[in-house]
Amino acid sequence: MAFSVSSKGVYAIATTPFLNDGSVDFTSIDRLTDFYEESGCTGITILGIMGEAPKLEPEESRAIVKRVVSRAKVPVIVGVSAPGFAGMRSLARDSMEMGAAGVMIAPPPALRTDDQIVGYFAGAVDAIGDDVPWVLQDYPLTLTVVMSPGVIARIMTNHSSCLMLKHEDWPGLEKISTLRSLQIAGELRPFSILCGNGGMFLDFEPERGADGAMTGYGFPDMLTELIGLFAAGKRDEAHGLFDAHLPLIRYEQQLGVGLAVRKHVLKRRGVITTDTQRKPAQSLSSTAKAEVDYLLSRLARYDKRAAL
Amino acid sequence: MAFSVSSKGVYAIATTPFLNDGSVDFTSIDRLTDFYEESGCTGITILGIMGEAPKLEPEESRAIVKRVVSRAKVPVIVGVSAPGFAGMRSLARDSMEMGAAGVMIAPPPALRTDDQIVGYFAGAVDAIGDDVPWVLQDYPLTLTVVMSPGVIARIMTNHSSCLMLKHEDWPGLEKISTLRSLQIAGELRPFSILCGNGGMFLDFEPERGADGAMTGYGFPDMLTELIGLFAAGKRDEAHGLFDAHLPLIRYEQQLGVGLAVRKHVLKRRGVITTDTQRKPAQSLSSTAKAEVDYLLSRLARYDKRAAL
Amino acid sequence: MAFSVSSKGVYAIATTPFLNDGSVDFTSIDRLTDFYEESGCTGITILGIMGEAPKLEPEESRAIVKRVVSRAKVPVIVGVSAPGFAGMRSLARDSMEMGAAGVMIAPPPALRTDDQIVGYFAGAVDAIGDDVPWVLQDYPLTLTVVMSPGVIARIMTNHSSCLMLKHEDWPGLEKISTLRSLQIAGELRPFSILCGNGGMFLDFEPERGADGAMTGYGFPDMLTELIGLFAAGKRDEAHGLFDAHLPLIRYEQQLGVGLAVRKHVLKRRGVITTDTQRKPAQSLSSTAKAEVDYLLSRLARYDKRAAL
Amino acid sequence: MAFSVSSKGVYAIATTPFLNDGSVDFTSIDRLTDFYEESGCTGITILGIMGEAPKLEPEESRAIVKRVVSRAKVPVIVGVSAPGFAGMRSLARDSMEMGAAGVMIAPPPALRTDDQIVGYFAGAVDAIGDDVPWVLQDYPLTLTVVMSPGVIARIMTNHSSCLMLKHEDWPGLEKISTLRSLQIAGELRPFSILCGNGGMFLDFEPERGADGAMTGYGFPDMLTELIGLFAAGKRDEAHGLFDAHLPLIRYEQQLGVGLAVRKHVLKRRGVITTDTQRKPAQSLSSTAKAEVDYLLSRLARYDKRAAL
């Protein structure tokens, strides 16, 4: 399925696997790409915040884009957020040439007023070219930039090349409802909404109008199953599945240490070879590892995928 | 049980109930005070961030302190955080005279360096008097002030009148472990640690060394049961109880709208008469109310207290 | 001259004088009130950020309002910014009853989006009553809230009781030009603009459209002379006066320590008895005092008022 | 004179000149390099915040380093601050290979506690190698990271490869005094202190213990003259020169628009061909240009260099 304003399902936020010596682990990248597709993901997003993008050299970023794009059968989105438009443009153009489906852009932390935010994305689109499809990332908790529904509407109206909102405001349920009601009223053009924020509210977001999830939880197969249950109208079943995973979802959704949990789970699932992060990194203490493993063992009673 | 460095259990963070016209609802305050005690709480904290303290007139604050202190049989802690030391001192002294067990102080958002933070609390203790027992509130997510374990250790070492840490850093599990290991090594004097942050990690905090919780979740009776299960070494049972409540705990732990959820639950439980907030307030949409009620109905299958 | 949308000249931001024991020094308040009037000020603003307002008890604030209002022949504006609307309302209503000309309101630091800011002031006006004339304070450097010209226009359009903008954005010259051009184009109603930010750009602000200054520089007599020179079209003379004072203006416009400089100058000028601040306070080192005194001695060669 | 803990004088913060089409203007870079040396600068710092570094492609950065290093006879420092250590390391190593004297590192905005800051620089030195001499940049106003004197002392003690502090805290005079008194007391090893912040307090910083300036004011020849006058003990003369330039220094020291002023002045002085900035850019309105030109004409009556 192409990347479009009608995109649905789960776009996996891919981690970037490293070998013990810190070099990029391309073998694990291949395995991870396959794993996301086998899990039912309808897309893959690489080089995002959780992908340790700022820790990569420019040539490494391109090599990763090339590797994933050439292997994946689903659309690949490339995170191109950068301190300046020059770096954003070159990574975006290079990625599209290599076959990426689109790019994702987050606002830089210094933005404050509505006009500053709207103006920034006008500059970004001017830089990458209005022929490059892109995802607008709305993540105030980490980025400190707060976009009201009105600002998102202005950006979407200004730039038809923006096909999707990565929604991860917190609290954020009402924002989805507001945007969808603007669209229903015909005051806003259609676009896809996939939810991030670690999936913490994915038990209600589909009913609010989200088309699915874009997050990196270690069980993407559970995320696709969950979205499928909602699509099938099986509300109680969906909540049952979600609730079983929530203790781990909650544990993984911790700033900084969350990536360590995610890599630990993916390693235990046999998808990536090591849980190495590049510096600066936050690692798991042995106590934290034991806590995650305990949560996995509890989850395994409900969901066999967690029996590792 | 007195308020001391050995305090354990659950200190309820009390909401402040209002009537529909916005006036303080003293009848509900009485009911709330009784409810917390009947729920097994070992203490009550009033006029905290969730208690809408900044929306109260000075005389209203004192009337509330008087009402709760004169009714409660457990220690009452009064939040006295204020933009200046003059207001902090007068509310602290007045509260102690009325019979409060101690006060709670949070750092003002502008503080940045370790020395600024340590210096601020020296000024605060100088203002309220070193004979007033107090709780140090560590809540970076809302206050933007980040206190390393070393800074907390310096404050505790400087001020023997600080008896308790209200821990609500996020992520925060390692901080508890670090502080407790400093104490075990004899490098830090004893103090109580009760955890806030809505209880989001209360399934692991007791094992990390926390003495209990200080939070305002709408089921304080569940919190005290949970702490009891951990004290009795019933780990799996404790996690079972926690996991059943986690969907609602997670929903309630949303900045801004969380208070509305909390008041809605307390109203549905028959403890407070209205869920009115003073302005500026964030209210629940009808969809959000339905979501909370659905979570309650799901929870009720596991915990009869939620069958409302 | 009444406080109105046509207000011009200099509104002095008054310091709050204390005696050595920290109590309010009402004798110095009287002298300060007279001094501002004799300096040609057309208004006085009390209990602002530089007036150490958060360090005062509620009854002290009211006593100061009463003292200044009953003595001054010019309009008195009272800073009523507060963490909650209850405290804001009661101080505003009390001040107006005592004869204040209006109040001043700054946005709380947590506000981010345009809608949040506009909504906050709607709540504030609802709280104090739309019959209370007020000044909108725009001070991003200290308050971290950034108001675009569009947001200011929305607030001014929503609330006819807002008569004046205290402009202290930095950089801020273009903002004045933008607001004035909106008014010239008939898209925005008239209001007064007085500039703060310590007077750092007062050599250009009048030509951009400002009606004068609202700041607390230790030489209000120079500020009124400067505004007079601009009103008389004596541009070069105005710049000559400004440039002579700029080294001291610049030294006084330091966050935190600036108030200490200001009180030191006012004490040396014989207006206030002590330069005592309430805690938390930042004092001048002996080196800093010598630097200020050296700047005064240099200034005295140009302006005799500085020969102290 | 080599880059060392004894470095003195003025290190110019170089702008990056662009042609009208946005490409790097190497001819102007050569002229700028010569201009700084002819102005008496003892060093040149390139690719800093004011050098629009984040707007450059990696290969452009290297080309600029190569061009300046191969032409300059004074030490060249290269700004290598980056979101991740990988990019920092590669630019640092490449720069040193091309003949740079050292690099400059600023802390990323997210750092809060003393330990986080100290830990970050340990990681940075680990990344670039402890054989690379570097400058520690302390610029809270823009970076929001506040380093107490104690933190700076810890960093200097941990890393002997740090030879210089770029001091631009505000207010910051007492910080210089504190650091120098620690050194005099033998509690801190020697390092050079050059002051930035646009030169706003350069009339007092040398007497506080600064070794000179590192800033990009459009009259570096005035900065070197000023530092020379202080070195010669000609205090009053130094202040006379400084005061004449202060109105322009103050105008240039505006966040965002300051770079436009700087490029305008350098263009008018014939050093760079265009005042083009890469996007996102803040340009000067015609009114602002006229204001700068008026300040230049006033300055020209005192300092012939400003007669343009």
Side-chain angles (χ1 to χ4, degrees):
Chain A
M1 195 174 71
F3 170 50
S4 76
V5 296
S6 309
S7 289
K8 292 185 189 309
V10 175
Y11 275 51
I13 292 283
T15 55
T16 301
F18 298 104
L19 294 172
N20 285 325
D21 66 1
S23 61
V24 177
D25 176 2
F26 287 98
T27 309
S28 287
I29 286 181
D30 288 346
R31 230 166 18 227
L32 197 58
T33 304
D34 296 346
F35 170 70
Y36 288 140
E37 293 190 346
E38 290 156 12
S39 298
C41 292
T42 51
I44 301 175
T45 304
I46 59 176
L47 305 184
I49 296 172
M50 275 305 208
E52 301 178 68
K55 303 178 190 169
L56 298 169
E57 298 277 4
E59 55 272 29
E60 290 176 324
S61 301
R62 273 126 184 109
I64 293 169
V65 173
K66 184 164 192 170
R67 188 77 166 217
V68 176
V69 163
S70 58
R71 189 175 189 92
K73 291 166 214 77
V74 296
V76 176
I77 306 294
V78 180
V80 297
S81 304
F85 287 150
M88 182 188 295
R89 178 182 50 235
S90 69
L91 182 55
R93 306 299 309 184
D94 290 354
S95 297
M96 295 307 291
E97 265 176 43
M98 288 188 272
V103 301
M104 184 162 73
I105 307 175
L111 301 179
R112 282 292 168 268
T113 71
D114 287 11
D115 288 347
Q116 286 172 349
I117 298 168
V118 171
Y120 178 81
F121 284 102
V125 170
D126 188 53
I128 64 171
D130 58 14
D131 57 328
V132 175
W134 60 288
V135 179
L136 171 62
Q137 185 174 17
D138 179 22
Y139 195 12
L141 188 62
T142 290
L143 302 168
T144 77
V145 178
V146 184
M147 295 192 242
S148 64
V151 159
I152 293 170
R154 283 170 66 188
I155 295 169
M156 290 295 176
T157 301
N158 290 349
H159 307 292
S160 59
S161 57
C162 185
L163 307 184
M164 183 185 281
L165 173 69
K166 183 180 186 196
H167 166 282
E168 35 195 346
D169 200 351
W170 176 70
L173 292 172
E174 299 303 330
K175 185 181 269 187
I176 303 173
S177 296
T178 302
L179 289 168
R180 285 313 189 203
S181 64
L182 285 172
Q183 292 174 323
I184 288 165
E187 296 166 18
L188 185 56
R189 69 168 177 85
F191 52 84
S192 170
I193 300 180
L194 299 189
C195 296
N197 199 21
M200 281 290 287
F201 285 87
L202 208 51
D203 50 345
F204 289 112
E205 288 162 338
E207 292 176 347
R208 292 289 191 136
D211 295 302
M214 188 192 285
T215 187
Y217 180 52
F219 290 85
D221 31 2
M222 168 268 181
L223 296 174
T224 59
E225 185 185 347
L226 183 75
I227 299 301
L229 288 170
F230 273 113
K234 299 185 177 172
R235 189 189 211 205
D236 290 340
E237 221 172 306
H239 278 270
L241 177 63
F242 179 85
D243 289 357
H245 280 264
L246 183 55
L248 184 58
I249 286 175
R250 175 272 333 239
Y251 202 101
E252 205 182 279
Q253 174 57 0
Q254 296 183 73
L255 292 175
V257 79
L259 175 60
V261 179
R262 193 166 287 181
K263 286 198 159 181
H264 175 73
V265 170
L266 288 171
K267 183 187 168 195
R268 284 212 53 196
R269 294 195 74 182
V271 185
I272 61 177
T273 303
T274 83
D275 56 4
T276 306
Q277 294 174 52
R278 282 202 174 162
K279 297 179 189 173
Q282 279 191 275
S283 57
L284 289 183
S285 68
S286 57
T287 308
K289 269 187 193 159
E291 289 167 345
V292 172
D293 291 343
Y294 178 68
L295 290 177
L296 285 169
S297 72
R298 285 183 57 80
L299 174 58
R301 299 179 314 178
Y302 184 98
D303 188 331
K304 288 305 157 206
R305 288 171 289 217
L308 303 171
Chain B
M1 193 173 73
F3 170 51
S4 77
V5 297
S6 310
S7 289
K8 291 184 191 311
V10 175
Y11 275 50
I13 292 283
T15 55
T16 301
F18 298 103
L19 294 172
N20 285 326
D21 65 1
S23 62
V24 177
D25 175 3
F26 287 99
T27 309
S28 287
I29 286 181
D30 287 347
R31 226 162 27 221
L32 197 58
T33 304
D34 296 347
F35 170 70
Y36 289 139
E37 294 189 348
E38 289 157 12
S39 298
C41 292
T42 51
I44 301 174
T45 303
I46 58 176
L47 305 184
I49 295 172
M50 274 305 208
E52 301 179 67
K55 303 177 191 169
L56 299 169
E57 299 275 5
E59 56 272 30
E60 290 176 322
S61 300
R62 273 127 185 109
I64 292 169
V65 173
K66 185 164 190 170
R67 188 78 167 216
V68 176
V69 163
S70 59
R71 188 173 188 95
K73 291 167 215 76
V74 296
V76 175
I77 305 294
V78 180
V80 297
S81 303
F85 286 150
M88 182 188 294
R89 177 183 51 236
S90 70
L91 181 56
R93 306 300 307 185
D94 289 355
S95 296
M96 296 308 290
E97 264 177 43
M98 287 188 272
V103 301
M104 184 161 74
I105 307 175
L111 301 179
R112 282 292 167 269
T113 72
D114 287 10
D115 287 349
Q116 286 172 349
I117 299 168
V118 171
Y120 178 81
F121 284 102
V125 170
D126 188 54
I128 64 172
D130 59 11
D131 58 327
V132 174
W134 60 289
V135 179
L136 172 63
Q137 186 174 15
D138 179 22
Y139 195 13
L141 187 61
T142 290
L143 302 168
T144 77
V145 178
V146 185
M147 296 192 241
S148 64
V151 159
I152 293 170
R154 283 169 67 188
I155 295 169
M156 291 294 177
T157 301
N158 289 350
H159 307 291
S160 60
S161 57
C162 184
L163 307 184
M164 183 185 281
L165 174 68
K166 182 179 186 198
H167 166 281
E168 35 194 347
D169 201 352
W170 175 70
L173 292 172
E174 299 303 328
K175 186 182 267 187
I176 303 174
S177 296
T178 303
L179 289 168
R180 286 311 192 207
S181 65
L182 284 172
Q183 291 174 324
I184 288 164
E187 295 165 19
L188 184 56
R189 69 167 177 84
F191 52 84
S192 171
I193 299 179
L194 298 190
C195 295
N197 199 22
M200 281 290 287
F201 285 87
L202 208 50
D203 49 344
F204 289 112
E205 288 162 340
E207 291 175 348
R208 293 288 191 136
D211 295 301
M214 186 191 286
T215 187
Y217 180 52
F219 289 86
D221 30 1
M222 169 268 182
L223 297 174
T224 59
E225 185 185 345
L226 183 75
I227 300 301
L229 287 170
F230 274 112
K234 299 182 178 174
R235 189 190 210 207
D236 291 339
E237 222 173 308
H239 278 269
L241 177 63
F242 179 85
D243 290 357
H245 279 264
L246 183 54
L248 184 58
I249 287 175
R250 175 272 332 239
Y251 203 101
E252 205 183 279
Q253 174 56 3
Q254 296 183 74
L255 291 175
V257 78
L259 176 58
V261 179
R262 194 165 287 181
K263 286 198 160 184
H264 174 73
V265 171
L266 288 171
K267 183 187 168 195
R268 284 212 56 194
R269 295 194 74 182
V271 185
I272 61 178
T273 302
T274 84
D275 56 5
T276 306
Q277 295 176 50
R278 281 200 176 165
K279 296 179 189 171
Q282 280 192 273
S283 58
L284 288 183
S285 67
S286 57
T287 308
K289 269 187 194 160
E291 289 168 345
V292 172
D293 291 343
Y294 178 68
L295 290 177
L296 285 168
S297 71
R298 285 184 58 80
L299 174 58
R301 300 178 315 179
Y302 184 98
D303 188 331
K304 289 304 158 206
R305 287 171 291 216
L308 303 171
Chain C
M1 195 174 71
F3 169 52
S4 77
V5 296
S6 310
S7 289
K8 291 185 189 309
V10 175
Y11 275 51
I13 291 283
T15 56
T16 301
F18 297 104
L19 294 172
N20 285 326
D21 66 0
S23 62
V24 178
D25 175 2
F26 287 99
T27 309
S28 286
I29 286 181
D30 288 347
R31 227 163 26 225
L32 196 58
T33 305
D34 296 348
F35 170 71
Y36 289 139
E37 294 190 347
E38 289 157 12
S39 298
C41 292
T42 51
I44 301 175
T45 304
I46 60 176
L47 304 184
I49 295 171
M50 275 306 208
E52 301 178 67
K55 304 178 191 170
L56 298 169
E57 298 276 5
E59 55 271 30
E60 290 176 323
S61 301
R62 273 125 185 109
I64 292 169
V65 173
K66 185 165 191 170
R67 188 76 168 219
V68 176
V69 162
S70 58
R71 189 175 189 94
K73 293 167 213 74
V74 296
V76 176
I77 306 293
V78 180
V80 297
S81 303
F85 287 151
M88 181 188 294
R89 177 182 52 234
S90 70
L91 182 55
R93 306 299 309 184
D94 290 355
S95 296
M96 295 308 291
E97 264 177 43
M98 288 188 273
V103 302
M104 184 161 73
I105 307 176
L111 301 180
R112 283 292 168 268
T113 71
D114 288 11
D115 287 347
Q116 286 172 349
I117 299 168
V118 171
Y120 179 81
F121 284 102
V125 170
D126 188 54
I128 64 172
D130 58 13
D131 57 327
V132 174
W134 60 287
V135 179
L136 172 63
Q137 184 173 18
D138 180 21
Y139 194 13
L141 188 61
T142 290
L143 302 168
T144 78
V145 178
V146 184
M147 294 193 243
S148 64
V151 160
I152 293 170
R154 284 170 66 188
I155 296 169
M156 290 294 178
T157 301
N158 289 349
H159 307 292
S160 60
S161 56
C162 185
L163 307 183
M164 183 184 281
L165 174 68
K166 181 178 188 199
H167 167 281
E168 38 194 345
D169 201 351
W170 175 70
L173 292 172
E174 299 304 329
K175 187 181 268 187
I176 303 174
S177 296
T178 301
L179 289 169
R180 286 312 191 205
S181 65
L182 285 173
Q183 291 174 325
I184 288 165
E187 295 167 18
L188 186 56
R189 69 168 178 83
F191 51 86
S192 170
I193 299 180
L194 299 189
C195 296
N197 200 21
M200 282 290 288
F201 285 85
L202 209 50
D203 50 345
F204 289 112
E205 287 161 339
E207 292 176 347
R208 293 289 191 135
D211 295 301
M214 186 192 286
T215 187
Y217 179 52
F219 289 85
D221 29 3
M222 168 269 182
L223 296 174
T224 59
E225 185 185 347
L226 182 76
I227 299 300
L229 287 170
F230 273 112
K234 300 184 177 172
R235 189 188 210 207
D236 290 340
E237 221 173 306
H239 277 271
L241 176 64
F242 179 84
D243 289 357
H245 279 265
L246 184 55
L248 184 58
I249 286 174
R250 176 271 333 237
Y251 202 101
E252 205 182 279
Q253 174 57 0
Q254 296 183 74
L255 291 176
V257 79
L259 175 60
V261 178
R262 194 166 285 182
K263 286 198 159 182
H264 175 73
V265 170
L266 287 172
K267 183 187 168 193
R268 284 212 54 196
R269 294 194 73 182
V271 185
I272 61 177
T273 303
T274 83
D275 56 5
T276 306
Q277 294 175 52
R278 282 201 175 163
K279 295 178 190 173
Q282 279 192 273
S283 57
L284 288 182
S285 68
S286 57
T287 308
K289 269 188 193 159
E291 289 167 345
V292 172
D293 291 343
Y294 177 69
L295 289 178
L296 285 168
S297 72
R298 284 183 59 80
L299 174 58
R301 299 179 315 179
Y302 183 98
D303 188 331
K304 288 306 156 207
R305 288 172 289 216
L308 304 172
Chain D
M1 192 174 72
F3 170 51
S4 76
V5 297
S6 309
S7 289
K8 290 184 191 310
V10 175
Y11 276 50
I13 291 284
T15 56
T16 301
F18 298 104
L19 294 172
N20 285 326
D21 66 1
S23 62
V24 177
D25 176 3
F26 287 99
T27 308
S28 287
I29 286 181
D30 288 347
R31 225 161 30 221
L32 197 58
T33 304
D34 296 347
F35 170 70
Y36 289 140
E37 293 190 348
E38 288 157 13
S39 298
C41 292
T42 50
I44 301 174
T45 303
I46 59 176
L47 305 185
I49 295 171
M50 275 305 208
E52 301 178 69
K55 303 178 191 169
L56 298 169
E57 299 276 4
E59 55 272 29
E60 291 176 322
S61 300
R62 272 125 185 111
I64 293 169
V65 172
K66 184 163 192 174
R67 189 78 167 216
V68 177
V69 162
S70 57
R71 188 172 188 96
K73 292 168 212 76
V74 297
V76 176
I77 305 293
V78 180
V80 297
S81 304
F85 287 151
M88 181 187 295
R89 176 183 52 235
S90 70
L91 181 56
R93 306 299 308 186
D94 289 354
S95 297
M96 296 308 291
E97 265 176 42
M98 288 187 271
V103 301
M104 183 160 73
I105 307 175
L111 300 179
R112 282 293 167 268
T113 72
D114 288 11
D115 287 348
Q116 285 172 349
I117 299 168
V118 170
Y120 179 81
F121 284 102
V125 170
D126 188 53
I128 64 171
D130 59 12
D131 57 327
V132 174
W134 60 287
V135 179
L136 172 63
Q137 185 173 17
D138 179 22
Y139 194 13
L141 187 61
T142 289
L143 302 168
T144 77
V145 178
V146 185
M147 295 192 242
S148 64
V151 160
I152 293 170
R154 284 169 66 188
I155 295 168
M156 291 294 178
T157 301
N158 290 349
H159 307 292
S160 60
S161 57
C162 185
L163 307 184
M164 182 184 282
L165 174 68
K166 181 177 188 199
H167 166 281
E168 37 195 346
D169 201 352
W170 175 70
L173 294 171
E174 299 303 329
K175 186 182 268 188
I176 303 173
S177 297
T178 302
L179 289 169
R180 287 310 192 207
S181 65
L182 285 172
Q183 291 174 324
I184 288 164
E187 294 166 19
L188 186 55
R189 68 168 177 85
F191 52 85
S192 171
I193 300 180
L194 298 190
C195 295
N197 199 21
M200 281 291 288
F201 285 86
L202 208 51
D203 51 343
F204 289 113
E205 287 161 340
E207 292 176 348
R208 292 290 191 134
D211 295 302
M214 186 191 287
T215 188
Y217 179 51
F219 289 85
D221 31 1
M222 168 268 180
L223 296 174
T224 59
E225 185 185 346
L226 183 76
I227 300 301
L229 288 170
F230 273 113
K234 300 183 178 172
R235 189 188 210 208
D236 290 340
E237 220 173 308
H239 278 269
L241 177 64
F242 178 85
D243 290 357
H245 279 264
L246 184 54
L248 184 58
I249 287 174
R250 174 273 332 238
Y251 202 100
E252 205 182 279
Q253 174 57 2
Q254 295 184 74
L255 290 176
V257 79
L259 175 59
V261 179
R262 193 165 287 180
K263 286 199 159 181
H264 175 73
V265 171
L266 287 172
K267 183 188 168 194
R268 284 212 54 195
R269 294 195 73 182
V271 184
I272 62 178
T273 302
T274 84
D275 56 5
T276 306
Q277 295 175 50
R278 282 203 176 162
K279 297 179 189 172
Q282 279 192 273
S283 58
L284 289 183
S285 67
S286 57
T287 308
K289 269 189 193 158
E291 289 168 345
V292 172
D293 291 343
Y294 178 68
L295 290 177
L296 284 169
S297 71
R298 285 184 57 80
L299 175 57
R301 299 179 315 179
Y302 183 98
D303 188 330
K304 288 304 158 208
R305 288 171 290 215
L308 303 172

